[in-house]
Amino acid sequence: MFSKKIILPLLCTALGIVLFSCQSDTKQEPANKAYTTWSSYLGDPGRSHYSTLSEFTKENVKDLKVAWTYEAADWGQMQMNPLVVDSMLYGVTAALRVVALNAKTGKEIWQFGDSIQVWHSTSRGVSYWEEGDDKRILCTRGPHLFALDALTGKPISTFGDNGKIDLRSGMPESAREKFVISNTPGTIFKNLIVMPLRLSEGSGAAPGNLMAFNVITGAVEWVFHTIPHPEEEGYDTWEENAYLSDEVGAANNWAGMAVDEELEIIYAPIGSAAPDFYGGARKGTNLYSDCLLALDANTGKRLWHFQFTHHDLWDRDPPAPPNLLMVEREGKKIAAVAQVTKQGYVYVFDRKTGEPLFDIKEIAVPSSTLNGEETWPTQPIPVKPKPFARQSTEITENNVSPYAENPDSLKAILRKLDKRIYSPPSLEPTLLLPGYDGAAEWGGTGADPEEGIIYVNSNEMPWIMQMGINDTKLETLPLGEATYSKYCVSCHQADRKGLATSGFPSLIDIELRKSKDEISSIIANGKGMMTGFPQLKQKEKNALIRFLFNQEIKHNVSENTNSEKGYRMPYKHLGYHKFLDKNGLPAIDPPWGTMHAINLNTGEYIWSIVLGESPELLEKGITGTGTENYGGPVITENGLLFIAATRDGYFRVFDKHTGAKLWEYKLPAPAFATPALYEVKGKQFIALACGGGKLGTKKGNT
């Protein structure tokens, strides 16, 4: 849950949600200079994570002090990037309560949210819109989008149904009961808000329509079908009538978007199609899944697109919004859009035309051995920049971790793994590196928008991917066990012991930790990275809870009437298994977390460094390993890079020109979130949400 928020004011005018401040004699910036506010997600509509505020400097950053802290009512993971408008800071707690704070003191001004029901999702923040005296905060909870008065936190009654709309209102009737939420703030353009959506990744997911809603009324203004309808371009890249399929869905934007307000173009990275890992029911390249879509922001009309992964079987959806920045070619400045990916690639395009600014080659890749599957024969890989994370093809037995106590067994496993690039899911194990979560993460990439440089933090966590034959005769099982086998087993495992090292908790003795009502809420609404299953019939949900609570009669199969169309896939994913040593650390050699500065004018790296430490090894005096990290950086014009993100729970400042570490601070709990840099009444602050709770870390609430 959401627990703590931290604000760091760094230097004289710095103040943070929970962090630091210090004194500085730096002269005030002109009030009209660009990139001095933080009223949009990740700083600005181009998602630059960039600020020209300059009171934090290389010289005084060592003097950062905590200015104030705000302790939320809820404890646990927070991914939110705060917004600051005038003197108010807006954020979201671990239980999805929206709070408005005095940005200078941290004092709570208002709170919006159910004081009884606890929501188990995560949120990356809110959106802000204003027109004259009408100032609104747009936020989500479950399938609903709310419009709140920014000054009072009260729902605006004229928006939708007394202040809220259903995000499924622009979807077909068949999707109205399916799992649809939003973890990422919507993108504002004029009087529109375009909403990212998180959907199920399995069979029967809702379609990933891109939808623009009217900020004033809540009405649907335009819809773009990411699974095309007849007569729409891309329809022939799917099987006939895929948009009507009971099995196929998703191809949704979940990571957020960027918008060029001058060109009036919105850039939306689209995720993978569902079901993941087996695409026998969705043969073809599957436009517009795994694409960067450039749409007319006024109408939703497609202007251009580029597909990063054809017929995705690896869940390789783009993990973060793109960056809008200027790059130089032959002495001329070009408005560009850059997209980082889970594979560790960077794709750079002309913002207007979609023309790649570095060559992209279609590389031949292996074919599937699964019956009914038809992998696409090639995949597009950029020639430059080189990947910012190691690829599976680079790993040999010599890359087994030097800190592993069981190197021989790890080498034996490694010898059996298919390490080819884009090796498709099969009945044999495959090394997936970068892993399921990717190299780049949802925290996003920082950019210097005028200099053409991006700053990306990356993970190098290996995973093992494998499929199995779906031979479980669900019709012979009691309804609760059958429902568990269909929806839960790939994450929580057949024995219900979960995969704690991969982030999936054990469900053994769940009745001792959760009530039936709590479990029912989680099943319907999801929790953290778990999607919800609102489509379950009440008798299925009740039977599943009885199974989890060991109250189901094993020999009674008469209640199992689940025979819905498209129920069974011929193969099943065997779960999300990290490739770890016996102590739970990555089985390959470090670094396991890195940070990079890449010059997109040339495609060359400026610097690369190790990011973070592994606490287990640090206790033994072993440093320089890097560690898993989520959440992005903040970049300043005058040469600083601020980032938390790491499992070790530190907040760090680096020299953006060299990668040299200038300062670090141990947080009360790890911050898997992107900071916000802002100024209030002549003081500058950097704010950071510290909720912990991910990767086995302790929970926080500041």
Side-chain angles (χ1 to χ4, degrees):
M1 316 194 92
F2 173 106
S3 188
K4 289 186 178 181
K5 285 187 223 167
I6 287 188
I7 300 182
L8 304 191
L10 299 177
L11 312 194
C12 295
T13 43
L15 181 69
I17 293 190
V18 116
L19 286 186
F20 317 93
S21 66
C22 63
Q23 295 300 319
S24 166
D25 296 324
T26 304
K27 188 177 180 179
Q28 292 292 316
E29 303 280 353
N32 61 350
K33 188 171 182 179
Y35 302 103
T36 58
T37 63
W38 209 276
S39 58
S40 293
Y41 179 54
L42 303 179
D44 64 274
R47 312 309 181 206
S48 301
H49 306 223
Y50 183 76
S51 178
T52 55
L53 297 177
S54 61
E55 291 192 351
F56 302 144
T57 69
K58 297 176 186 178
E59 291 71 32
N60 64 19
V61 71
K62 66 182 184 300
D63 299 321
L64 284 177
K65 300 289 189 299
V66 174
W68 56 261
T69 63
Y70 169 78
E71 295 192 2
D74 315 307
W75 290 71
Q77 185 182 167
M78 293 183 287
Q79 299 177 357
M80 69 95 176
N81 175 237
L83 298 189
V84 180
V85 181
D86 298 326
S87 61
M88 295 177 72
L89 181 146
Y90 301 95
V92 183
T93 73
L96 303 192
R97 292 181 237 266
V98 181
V99 295
L101 312 178
N102 182 306
K104 188 172 183 179
T105 66
K107 181 180 179 181
E108 183 176 291
I109 298 171
W110 57 256
Q111 180 182 130
F112 171 79
D114 196 317
S115 60
I116 299 175
Q117 182 177 3
V118 175
W119 290 82
H120 297 279
S121 184
T122 53
S123 173
R124 292 174 194 130
V126 300
S127 302
Y128 176 82
W129 173 90
E130 70 174 22
E131 187 174 84
D133 293 332
D134 189 353
K135 305 174 188 293
R136 303 187 179 195
I137 291 294
L138 287 299
C139 60
T140 63
R141 199 165 66 230
H144 296 111
L145 173 66
F146 292 82
L148 311 178
D149 184 304
L151 299 181
T152 67
K154 303 296 183 184
I156 295 174
S157 61
T158 54
F159 178 84
D161 181 12
N162 290 315
K164 70 177 181 180
I165 61 169
D166 193 314
L167 290 168
R168 297 168 291 195
S169 57
M171 292 183 170
E173 191 65 34
S174 60
R176 298 301 171 88
E177 299 301 321
K178 294 185 175 182
F179 178 75
V180 178
I181 65 171
S182 179
N183 298 105
T184 306
T187 294
I188 299 288
F189 175 74
K190 296 181 180 177
N191 289 343
L192 301 178
I193 182 168
V194 188
M195 291 303 302
L197 299 177
R198 185 179 177 204
L199 310 176
S200 169
E201 298 180 8
S203 179
N209 294 346
L210 269 178
M211 296 174 288
F213 299 92
N214 188 295
V215 173
I216 299 172
T217 67
V220 177
E221 293 288 350
W222 57 254
V223 177
F224 181 88
H225 301 129
T226 59
I227 302 177
H229 290 201
E231 310 303 323
E232 294 178 343
E233 186 172 350
Y235 176 75
D236 59 355
T237 67
W238 301 77
E239 297 203 56
E240 187 176 6
N241 292 328
Y243 76 105
L244 296 175
S245 172
D246 292 326
E247 298 176 356
V248 176
N252 52 301
N253 171 273
W254 60 267
M257 298 155 251
V259 62
D260 186 319
E261 295 178 329
E262 183 177 339
L263 294 177
E264 302 191 337
I265 299 175
I266 194 163
Y267 301 90
I270 306 300
S272 56
D276 282 342
F277 311 121
Y278 180 77
R282 52 175 177 87
K283 295 181 177 69
T285 55
N286 302 155
L287 294 178
Y288 293 94
S289 68
D290 297 270
C291 282
L292 181 62
L293 268 175
L295 305 179
D296 183 319
N298 296 288
T299 66
K301 178 183 176 182
R302 188 190 67 85
L303 301 176
W304 59 264
H305 74 273
F306 183 87
Q307 188 173 49
F308 304 114
T309 303
H310 310 313
H311 189 72
D312 188 357
L313 301 173
W314 306 266
D315 193 22
R316 287 310 204 186
D317 40 6
N323 301 105
L324 304 188
L325 70 172
M326 303 299 294
V327 300
E328 188 172 310
R329 289 290 188 280
E330 298 178 352
K332 295 182 179 180
K333 287 285 190 177
I334 299 174
V337 53
Q339 179 69 59
V340 293
T341 68
K342 287 182 177 179
Q343 298 97 311
Y345 304 144
V346 184
Y347 296 83
V348 189
F349 307 95
D350 184 299
R351 218 182 292 174
K352 299 177 184 178
T353 67
E355 177 186 358
L357 297 182
F358 294 106
D359 288 342
I360 300 172
K361 292 186 176 181
E362 289 283 342
I363 304 296
V365 295
S367 299
S368 177
T369 58
L370 300 182
N371 292 331
E373 181 60 270
E374 294 182 11
T375 47
W376 201 255
T378 62
Q379 295 293 347
I381 298 178
V383 173
K384 275 190 170 185
K386 68 180 182 181
F388 53 81
R390 281 179 291 179
Q391 306 294 297
S392 58
T393 52
E394 301 175 48
I395 303 301
T396 70
E397 292 180 40
N398 293 331
N399 293 109
V400 164
S401 172
Y403 309 116
E405 297 176 7
N406 56 326
D408 291 339
S409 63
L410 296 178
K411 289 179 181 179
I413 293 172
L414 198 56
R415 282 194 291 270
K416 297 178 181 179
L417 297 179
D418 187 340
K419 296 183 283 293
R420 295 174 296 169
I421 189 169
Y422 277 109
S423 179
S426 76
L427 299 178
E428 300 300 322
T430 294
L431 178 66
L432 197 66
L433 181 72
Y436 286 111
D437 288 355
E441 304 291 352
W442 46 257
T445 301
D448 187 319
E450 298 302 322
E451 297 299 321
I453 299 170
I454 62 169
Y455 302 85
V456 57
N457 49 302
S458 176
N459 283 323
E460 296 200 13
M461 172 60 75
W463 296 65
I464 296 175
M465 175 177 65
Q466 190 171 7
M467 303 292 281
I469 297 174
N470 195 5
D471 57 359
T472 303
K473 293 180 171 55
L474 298 180
E475 63 273 11
T476 68
L477 299 176
L479 182 58
E481 187 174 356
T483 304
Y484 180 86
S485 295
K486 180 179 179 181
Y487 295 107
C488 313
V489 73
S490 65
C491 294
H492 296 288
Q493 303 297 284
D495 58 8
R496 290 187 280 169
K497 291 183 179 179
L499 296 165
T501 54
S502 298
F504 301 102
S506 169
L507 300 181
I508 300 295
D509 297 329
I510 190 67
E511 69 275 14
L512 303 179
R513 306 190 298 276
K514 300 284 185 183
S515 69
K516 288 186 176 181
D517 286 344
E518 288 178 296
I519 294 297
S520 179
S521 175
I522 292 172
I523 291 171
N525 301 310
K527 178 179 181 181
M529 59 184 170
M530 169 188 158
T531 59
F533 302 97
Q535 74 273 23
L536 288 183
K537 299 179 179 67
Q538 190 61 46
K539 67 177 181 179
E540 293 175 299
K541 186 191 293 187
N542 292 341
L544 176 57
I545 293 172
R546 288 197 298 273
F547 172 74
L548 294 174
F549 279 49
N550 299 305
Q551 295 173 348
E552 185 167 56
I553 300 174
K554 290 291 184 180
H555 64 269
N556 181 11
V557 299
S558 61
E559 65 173 345
N560 187 359
T561 60
N562 195 333
S563 59
E564 52 192 280
K565 181 181 178 183
Y567 173 77
R568 173 174 300 186
M569 305 295 286
Y571 300 95
K572 59 186 177 182
H573 185 238
L574 294 185
Y576 297 88
H577 297 267
K578 290 180 176 178
F579 183 30
L580 303 172
D581 68 14
K582 65 181 295 183
N583 293 321
L585 292 173
I588 63 172
D589 55 345
W592 301 320
T594 55
M595 186 86 213
H596 310 270
I598 309 174
N599 186 336
L600 296 186
N601 302 295
T602 64
E604 301 297 332
Y605 282 66
I606 300 172
W607 51 259
S608 294
I609 60 171
V610 173
L611 179 62
E613 301 287 356
S614 296
E616 302 87 345
L617 296 178
L618 195 60
E619 291 177 357
K620 301 177 181 180
I622 299 171
T623 62
T625 60
T627 190
E628 287 179 276
N629 52 91
Y630 296 81
V634 167
I635 314 300
T636 69
E637 182 184 40
N638 67 336
L640 301 178
L641 185 155
F642 297 89
I643 188 167
T646 51
R647 184 171 68 96
D648 60 14
Y650 277 86
F651 186 55
R652 295 178 171 95
V653 183
F654 297 94
D655 184 321
K656 79 170 186 180
H657 300 296
T658 66
K661 184 170 67 178
L662 302 174
W663 175 84
E664 66 181 9
Y665 177 86
K666 181 70 171 179
L667 299 168
F672 301 115
T674 303
L677 180 57
Y678 65 93
E679 181 177 77
V680 176
K681 296 182 179 179
K683 283 190 176 291
Q684 292 172 14
F685 306 85
I686 189 162
L688 186 61
C690 302
K694 189 176 179 67
L695 303 175
T697 59
K698 75 171 187 176
K699 294 180 179 180
N701 72 330
T702 54

